Amino acid sequence: MDESGVANNVARAIVAVLDWSTSPDARKAAVSYLESIKGGDIRVLASISFILVKKEWSSEIRLHAYKLLQHMVRLRWEELSSGERHNFAKVAFDMMSEMSNPCEEWALKSQTAALVAEIIRREGLNLWQELFPSLISLAGKGPVQAELVSITLRWLPEDITVHNEDLEGERRRLLLRGLTQSLSDIFPLLYSLLERHFGAVISEAGQQRIDIAKQHAATVTATLNALNAYAEWAPLPELSKHGIVHGCGFLLSSPDFRLHAAEFFKLVSSRKRPYDDTTEYDSAMRIVFEKLMGVSNDFLRRSESISCIDESELEFAECICDSMANLGSLNLQCVSGDETIVSVYLQQMLSYFRHDSLAIHYQSMLFWLALLRDLLSKPKILTPTTADGSAIILNSALGHGSKEKKNLLALLNDDICTAILDTSFRRLVKKEKILPGSSFSSGSLELWNEDFEGKGEFSQYRSKLLELIRFVSSVKPVIAASRVSERVATIFKCLLLSASPVQELAVPESMQLALDSVVNAVFDGSSDYGGSSSEHQVALHRIFEGLLQQLLSLKWTEPALVELLGHYLDALGPFLKHFPDAVGSVINKLFELLNSLPYAIKDPSTNVARHARLQICTSFIRIAKAVDKGILPYMKGIADTMAYLQKEGCLLRAEHNLLGEAFLVMASSAGIQQQQEVLAWLLEPLSLQWNQLEWQNTYLSEPAGLIRLCSETPFMWSLFHTVTFFEKALKRSGIRKGSTPLQNNLSGTSPAHPMASHLSWMLPPLLRLLRAVHSLWSPSIAHGLPGEMKFAMAISDPEKTSLLGEANPKLGKSAVDRSQIDMNKEGTEPNETDIRNWLKGIRDSGYNVLGLSTTIGDAFFKCLDSQYVSIALIENVQSMEFRHLRQLVHLVIIPLVKNCPPNMWEKWLENILHPLFNHSHQALVSSWSSLLQEGRAKVPDLCSFDAGPILKVEVMEEKLLRDLTREISALLSVLASPGVNTGLPLLEQSGHVNRPDPSSLRDLESFTSNSMVGYA
């Protein structure tokens, strides 16, 4: 065979593949030809490749030829005889000498070294021992040759540090064993190269021989890269014993090599401490601590004395801080016995945390989070016991035992905790939120900004800071209370002096979150407030009482400031639980704030005020939750004030609902009887309007009536608020988890749910309303609807965005806050968006009311006609869009099936489940078939309207299809669950699944009366 001619053909094929102007057919032919060479005669492949790596070919062809050689060694090495493999290795090694030319490209040198390393990995320890003396000899010839040797040593452990599917487990273990045995040869060689060529860099640079100095510098860099390839897995004591840790630590002070040296420490510091035989490991890791703490001390000292630090210095410091954080998170136990080292280390990490640089601060924050989370965690106790019968107690995640935890907590003094809190408070706000000229200037502090990459979203960062604040507050509650109180007082003083306080709310709003975190940690968290000394309790009382008095004394009437003050007051809720004497003044203040805001519903200028009023009403709910039984003495006063405001027309319906919900929260802590009285007081006025047949006949008897209803704005929203309050009443009432009512203890029976007696009048009009809403989607009615109504029924933009995965998942199924859905709409003409929100709100809350009603005993099933329920829910099921059907199944059908009494299965389930399953089967089969055959699911939600670009439509359709499929599967899972199929024998009792006992199947029908599957 004319190898020269074949080599030329291969070269032309390589050029054709790499040339962007090559036609698709020509490129395909070239790729096919190269693949035929790779899979052809291995000896031809080797000869051709060795020809193409020569210097007369272009760099692109030579690089491809090296890849061909590496492919052959990795995948076809066994096809060569032993002698051929030996000759191949010799030729490859000789190529390294030929590459020892300063003019050669680094990529070619790297691939040459990679080829030799691949051969050594394939041949194993014997070839390594044979080649090692030659490598030492080659490394001694000059900096370029030494660089090639270092690159080869860097490539050797590649299959250990990088997952390679072509390398099976046994070969990987052999490679690891062989390299571990060779570390006593490799590390001294690398250390000598590091030492010799770093010295040469200094010497040659001093004599102004810059080109030669650069060659030695390249060798130092290559050696550091090689060491980094071993730092991740080689035994740490070996790295220390051969001087590697010391050498890399020395280079941390060199501006030219410190980043590569820092990478070595970053890898080493991420190692996990072994569970046994830790003496040598701890000794080596102690040296790592000393090196990193030394360079940290230098940087932090320079930071204090120099106002501006250049970017390269900050990049290096970030890498060092990252290593320090890993070191403390994973290996602090190695030096925990030396209080001096630990104390200095904590002070340095505190300085990093307080640093102006956001990146450096962020790395340190992760350490403090890990440390405090570990110190405050409880030890895990295993069931097995030791020989003496005591339980086995595991150390914490960072390896700290209880004694070490106490010692570390003792080192977290007041100054450290104060500094962490103060820094955290300042960093809780985004840079973009602070306007130029603000009273809350951040100075030189680099706050979070949108350009900060690689660290997630600001909300995630802020949640970490708040978690850290909670941890510190648990350790030092008095310090935390004092610092947050002083910070809040300072901020409010600035607001009072500001010419435009509404423009400067970003910092006060962020501090409300900090206050909430501190108060929760101190009174509801792990700080064990009840077990604190009386001195601490008095101090905490004094601090928060002082802060509360400051808040109560504020006379703000600007809506944004009123809303902010309301949030601060409800943040103190857990404090009020322990000091209920202040509850009355807080309630009075909330009503004062509510009355200070305008309530006119037709003036667009009061939109902000209405939002603030709703937030104040929401504060009542939060206070009621937090204070628990401490609010009971004030219930009558709140009720009287509510009645007065309602009588005067000063309380909007949405506000009344929120205050009513707060009342339900209060009543839930008083017992069933109190709940019944509160519910009767709240629901009786609603029932008078809700049960009138006039509005039902006017608006729900025909489609035109519902269209008219959507133009009657006040009444439309009145119905909405009635349904949403039913939902809140069902959620807020009943027996609290973990509490046992007195009536239950005395009588031995569970008391009736306080909402049970109200279902009989609540649900029939709701079912009629939902039936009317469902009917809008039936083809005969939808066709004649006005355009505004049709658009309101279409899937909304927020729903589309959510389906595409672009929305905040916290928006949930409603994509709006249904408690405030109409805050700007009462008394105004409805538009398409209002109608859509109303329809969605009625469906969401209506379904929830029905589903929750099924969970409070059998009252739901006794007070309703099953036939009418099935008509209201299922009559128009064939016209339902997938999103609505999924919602119906999830919120109504599944709870109904789970809670239906067995003696009512036949009456309830058959009428609902049969038509539901028939339609679901047809719809899912059709959509899945369309998706598989045509690439589109063609769901009804997106067929009737222009939903946007086709690619997005396909994604949304498939998401809707998968969601409905998953929900129907969940329903089937409920039907097949053992709890509702006690009459059916288990497979284990019936014999092997493939060969059931005929007698167990013969009378299968006799079991269905006690099994739900019999009615499905």
Side-chain angles (χ1 to χ4, degrees):
M1 176 183 290
D2 181 8
E3 292 183 350
S4 177
V6 176
N8 285 324
N9 291 337
V10 172
R12 283 193 292 270
I14 294 172
V15 171
V17 170
L18 298 177
D19 188 353
W20 64 271
S21 63
T22 304
S23 67
D25 291 340
R27 179 176 284 105
K28 183 177 180 181
V31 170
S32 178
Y33 177 70
L34 291 176
E35 289 298 322
S36 69
I37 293 295
K38 285 172 66 176
D41 189 296
I42 189 172
R43 291 158 188 83
V44 173
L45 174 62
S47 300
I48 300 290
S49 300
F50 277 125
I51 290 173
L52 293 177
V53 297
K54 295 185 181 298
K55 296 181 179 180
E56 55 264 28
W57 299 98
S58 68
S59 298
E60 292 79 6
I61 292 174
R62 295 175 70 189
L63 279 173
H64 198 92
Y66 275 115
K67 294 294 184 182
L68 290 174
L69 289 170
Q70 291 171 26
H71 165 81
M72 191 188 76
V73 175
R74 179 172 290 274
L75 300 178
R76 303 186 64 185
W77 189 244
E78 302 299 332
E79 297 178 33
L80 297 175
S81 66
S82 176
E84 288 173 326
R85 292 200 297 267
H86 188 273
N87 291 336
F88 190 105
K90 185 177 183 305
V91 172
F93 186 80
D94 291 342
M95 286 165 53
M96 285 183 63
S97 299
E98 297 173 9
M99 293 296 294
S100 303
N101 185 338
C103 298
E104 283 286 6
E105 296 180 26
W106 183 88
L108 292 169
K109 291 191 289 187
S110 177
Q111 292 306 311
T112 305
L115 176 61
V116 173
E118 188 69 61
I119 294 170
I120 293 174
R121 287 200 298 267
R122 293 292 282 139
E123 282 295 281
L125 194 59
N126 291 334
L127 180 61
W128 165 254
Q129 292 173 344
E130 181 182 335
L131 287 181
F132 186 68
S134 301
L135 287 172
I136 295 178
S137 176
L138 181 63
K141 292 181 178 180
V144 178
Q145 292 85 347
E147 180 188 13
L148 273 167
V149 171
S150 291
I151 296 174
T152 303
L153 295 176
R154 176 257 178 272
W155 281 115
L156 269 181
E158 181 73 3
D159 285 331
I160 295 175
T161 57
V162 178
H163 176 69
N164 182 2
E165 294 180 354
D166 298 328
L167 192 69
E168 56 272 14
E170 183 58 30
R171 280 180 54 200
R172 191 188 301 274
R173 283 191 291 272
L174 290 173
L175 173 61
L176 178 59
R177 188 182 307 128
L179 281 175
T180 302
Q181 294 172 1
S182 304
L183 292 179
S184 57
D185 297 325
I186 295 172
F187 285 165
L189 173 58
L190 289 173
Y191 181 81
S192 67
L193 293 177
L194 202 64
E195 185 179 43
R196 184 192 319 155
H197 292 281
F198 178 73
V201 170
I202 303 299
S203 175
E204 298 295 340
Q207 300 177 45
Q208 298 301 309
R209 293 198 286 239
I210 304 302
D211 290 339
I212 298 177
K214 287 182 177 179
Q215 293 177 22
H216 288 287
T219 302
V220 174
T221 301
T223 305
L224 286 171
N225 286 335
L227 288 170
N228 290 342
Y230 295 86
E232 203 171 350
W233 61 271
L236 187 60
E238 290 292 320
L239 289 166
S240 178
K241 181 172 67 176
H242 294 290
I244 303 300
V245 175
H246 173 77
C248 291
F250 181 81
L251 291 179
L252 288 174
S253 60
S254 169
D256 294 323
F257 306 111
R258 62 185 181 183
L259 283 177
H260 289 88
E263 183 66 22
F264 169 83
F265 283 100
K266 183 177 180 179
L267 293 168
V268 167
S269 62
S270 299
R271 304 281 291 273
K272 290 186 177 180
R273 186 173 185 262
Y275 290 106
D276 53 358
D277 194 19
T278 60
T279 305
E280 291 185 350
Y281 180 91
D282 289 352
S283 177
M285 195 57 78
R286 183 188 180 94
I287 299 175
V288 175
F289 266 94
E290 292 171 352
K291 296 298 181 184
L292 289 175
M293 288 169 63
V295 73
S296 293
N297 184 62
D298 294 340
F299 168 76
L300 293 170
R301 192 171 60 249
R302 286 196 302 274
S303 295
E304 294 175 357
S305 59
I306 302 175
S307 58
C308 184
I309 300 178
D310 60 49
E311 289 296 324
S312 63
E313 183 87 359
L314 287 176
E315 181 185 3
F316 171 66
E318 182 183 351
C319 191
I320 292 298
C321 183
D322 190 10
S323 299
M324 288 277 282
N326 287 332
L327 202 59
S329 300
L330 299 172
N331 290 286
L332 192 58
Q333 195 178 6
C334 297
V335 294
S336 60
D338 192 326
E339 186 176 312
T340 302
I341 287 183
V342 175
S343 180
V344 173
Y345 170 82
L346 292 177
Q347 287 296 333
Q348 289 185 349
M349 292 308 296
L350 179 64
S351 297
Y352 279 129
F353 183 77
R354 300 173 66 186
H355 200 276
D356 287 346
S357 167
L358 178 58
I360 292 175
H361 152 80
Y362 185 89
Q363 299 296 341
S364 178
M365 178 193 68
L366 298 179
F367 158 74
W368 286 108
L369 263 178
L371 177 67
L372 286 166
R373 187 182 293 120
D374 182 71
L375 293 180
L376 296 176
S377 65
K378 296 180 180 179
K380 296 178 180 179
I381 302 178
L382 297 183
T383 303
T385 55
T386 58
D388 63 357
S390 59
I392 298 175
I393 302 178
L394 298 181
N395 285 343
S396 58
L398 303 189
H400 301 130
S402 57
K403 182 179 179 182
E404 291 169 325
K405 283 187 177 184
K406 289 181 180 178
N407 294 338
L408 284 171
L409 284 171
L411 292 175
L412 298 179
N413 55 41
D414 292 355
D415 292 338
I416 290 178
C417 292
T418 297
I420 291 176
L421 289 169
D422 289 347
T423 302
S424 299
F425 293 160
R426 294 181 65 198
R427 287 190 170 276
L428 281 171
V429 64
K430 290 174 70 172
K431 179 180 179 180
E432 291 82 1
K433 293 290 186 178
I434 299 183
L435 301 177
S438 170
S439 306
F440 305 108
S441 174
S442 60
S444 60
L445 191 68
E446 183 188 9
L447 295 177
W448 184 285
N449 59 80
E450 297 299 342
D451 298 327
F452 190 43
E453 298 179 354
K455 306 302 181 185
E457 300 294 330
F458 173 71
S459 59
Q460 298 170 328
Y461 162 74
R462 187 168 62 181
S463 68
K464 288 183 174 68
L465 272 183
L466 292 173
E467 184 182 10
L468 182 59
I469 290 171
R470 286 193 293 272
F471 286 148
V472 176
S473 301
S474 298
V475 175
K476 300 285 184 179
V478 177
I479 292 292
S482 176
R483 297 312 298 169
V484 76
S485 179
E486 291 177 17
R487 175 70 173 166
V488 169
T490 302
I491 288 173
F492 277 30
K493 187 178 296 183
C494 290
L495 274 183
L496 292 172
L497 297 175
S498 174
S500 54
V502 176
Q503 303 298 320
E504 303 200 40
L505 292 182
V507 172
E509 286 172 350
S510 70
M511 273 310 298
Q512 184 269 322
L513 299 175
L515 176 64
D516 186 77
S517 297
V518 171
V519 173
N520 273 290
V522 171
F523 295 102
D524 284 350
S526 58
S527 64
D528 191 20
Y529 170 79
S532 301
S533 66
S534 59
E535 181 182 348
H536 279 184
Q537 291 185 11
V538 170
L540 290 168
H541 184 190
R542 184 179 64 255
I543 292 169
F544 284 117
E545 187 176 35
L547 176 59
L548 177 60
Q549 292 305 317
Q550 292 182 53
L551 298 176
L552 293 176
S553 66
L554 294 171
K555 301 296 182 182
W556 285 337
T557 56
E558 185 73 30
L561 296 175
V562 167
E563 183 177 338
L564 176 69
L565 182 53
H567 287 318
Y568 269 88
L569 290 173
D570 63 54
L572 290 173
F575 161 72
L576 296 175
K577 180 178 182 180
H578 291 274
F579 300 97
D581 292 346
V583 172
S585 57
V586 172
I587 291 172
N588 291 336
K589 185 64 177 181
L590 289 175
F591 275 122
E592 176 189 321
L593 294 174
L594 185 66
N595 290 327
S596 70
L597 297 168
Y599 57 87
I601 62 176
K602 292 187 178 181
D603 183 1
S605 65
T606 62
N607 288 349
V608 177
R610 281 199 296 275
H611 184 275
R613 288 176 64 90
L614 287 170
Q615 291 302 314
I616 293 298
C617 293
T618 304
S619 291
F620 278 96
I621 299 176
R622 297 194 183 102
I623 293 291
K625 281 183 181 178
V627 177
D628 198 30
K629 293 182 179 180
I631 205 170
L632 294 180
Y634 306 96
M635 286 181 68
K636 186 179 185 305
I638 297 173
D640 291 343
T641 306
M642 283 177 60
Y644 172 78
L645 292 175
Q646 196 167 16
K647 180 181 178 182
E648 295 295 315
C650 303
L651 201 62
L652 299 181
R653 183 62 185 279
E655 298 162 3
H656 182 273
N657 272 15
L658 289 171
L659 291 176
E661 185 177 0
F663 239 90
L664 291 172
V665 174
M666 300 175 206
S668 66
S669 62
I672 296 296
Q673 182 176 352
Q674 186 74 47
Q675 287 187 54
Q676 290 173 339
E677 294 174 2
V678 168
L679 284 169
W681 175 62
L682 292 171
L683 292 176
E684 185 176 351
L686 298 182
S687 67
L688 297 177
Q689 179 201 63
W690 183 249
N691 286 312
Q692 289 178 3
L693 291 177
E694 182 181 354
W695 74 266
Q696 298 178 44
N697 294 333
T698 301
Y699 297 120
L700 306 182
S701 297
E702 57 180 357
L706 195 58
I707 297 172
R708 288 196 304 275
L709 174 61
C710 290
S711 65
E712 300 286 342
T713 307
F715 192 72
M716 177 179 83
W717 289 116
S718 175
L719 291 179
F720 167 81
H721 286 303
T722 299
V723 176
T724 55
F725 191 75
F726 290 162
E727 179 186 10
K728 291 172 182 177
L730 283 162
K731 287 181 176 179
R732 295 295 187 187
S733 57
I735 301 172
R736 283 188 175 183
K737 290 182 179 179
S739 64
T740 304
L742 180 62
Q743 302 97 306
N744 191 13
N745 291 340
L746 297 177
S747 63
T749 60
S750 298
H753 193 284
M755 282 294 291
S757 60
H758 298 281
L759 298 185
S760 58
W761 63 263
M762 279 173 41
L763 299 183
L766 175 61
L767 287 166
R768 191 172 179 183
L769 177 59
L770 287 173
R771 182 184 182 186
V773 170
H774 291 165
S775 69
L776 294 177
W777 275 262
S778 64
S780 60
I781 296 176
H783 179 72
L785 292 176
E788 187 180 58
M789 199 78 175
K790 289 181 178 179
F791 283 115
M793 292 161 56
I795 188 168
S796 65
D797 289 336
E799 288 176 297
K800 293 177 187 177
T801 307
S802 180
L803 288 171
L804 292 169
E806 299 170 359
N808 186 341
K810 290 183 180 180
L811 289 176
K813 61 182 178 359
S814 300
V816 288
D817 183 352
R818 285 183 277 118
S819 68
Q820 302 175 23
I821 199 170
D822 70 322
M823 65 182 184
N824 299 330
K825 302 302 177 183
E826 291 188 32
T828 63
E829 290 299 320
N831 57 30
E832 168 195 321
T833 302
D834 301 330
I835 297 173
R836 175 186 287 119
N837 286 338
W838 185 83
L839 289 171
K840 185 171 183 56
I842 289 293
R843 189 188 296 270
D844 291 351
S845 291
Y847 286 174
N848 262 324
V849 168
L850 294 176
L852 291 168
S853 298
T854 67
T855 66
I856 61 174
D858 57 4
F860 174 90
F861 302 95
K862 288 182 177 179
C863 73
L864 293 176
D865 176 33
S866 62
Q867 188 70 27
Y868 182 73
V869 173
S870 65
I871 291 174
L873 298 180
I874 308 296
E875 179 184 39
N876 290 291
V877 69
Q878 294 184 347
S879 305
M880 275 193 176
E881 296 181 359
F882 278 20
R883 58 199 167 107
H884 297 151
L885 184 56
R886 184 204 68 81
Q887 201 175 6
L888 175 68
V889 172
H890 180 75
L891 296 177
V892 182
I893 305 301
I894 288 180
L896 186 149
V897 169
K898 283 183 176 180
N899 296 289
C900 184
N903 62 341
M904 297 186 180
W905 284 352
E906 184 174 4
K907 179 180 178 182
W908 277 87
L909 299 186
E910 186 172 352
N911 291 336
I912 293 176
L913 293 182
H914 281 192
L916 173 66
F917 282 141
N918 285 338
H919 169 68
S920 299
H921 177 261
Q922 294 172 7
L924 292 177
V925 167
S926 175
S927 290
W928 277 111
S929 298
S930 178
L931 178 64
L932 295 174
Q933 295 170 11
E934 304 175 32
R936 284 194 56 183
K938 296 182 180 179
V939 302
D941 307 61
L942 301 168
C943 287
S944 304
F945 302 92
D946 180 16
I950 185 64
L951 183 60
K952 289 189 174 183
V953 170
E954 291 175 359
V955 173
M956 291 188 286
E957 285 180 337
E958 185 171 343
K959 180 68 165 58
L960 289 165
L961 174 58
R962 290 183 180 277
D963 286 346
L964 178 58
T965 304
R966 194 175 291 113
E967 208 61 59
I968 295 297
S969 299
L971 174 57
L972 292 172
S973 177
V974 170
L975 290 169
S977 60
V980 293
N981 289 286
T982 55
L984 289 178
L986 298 176
L987 288 176
E988 290 83 353
Q989 299 170 350
S990 302
H992 195 278
V993 67
N994 290 328
R995 288 190 291 178
D997 182 359
S999 63
S1000 67
L1001 300 178
R1002 191 177 304 117
D1003 299 323
L1004 187 60
E1005 293 184 1
S1006 64
F1007 293 110
T1008 58
S1009 60
N1010 295 321
S1011 303
M1012 186 172 285
V1013 292
Y1015 300 94

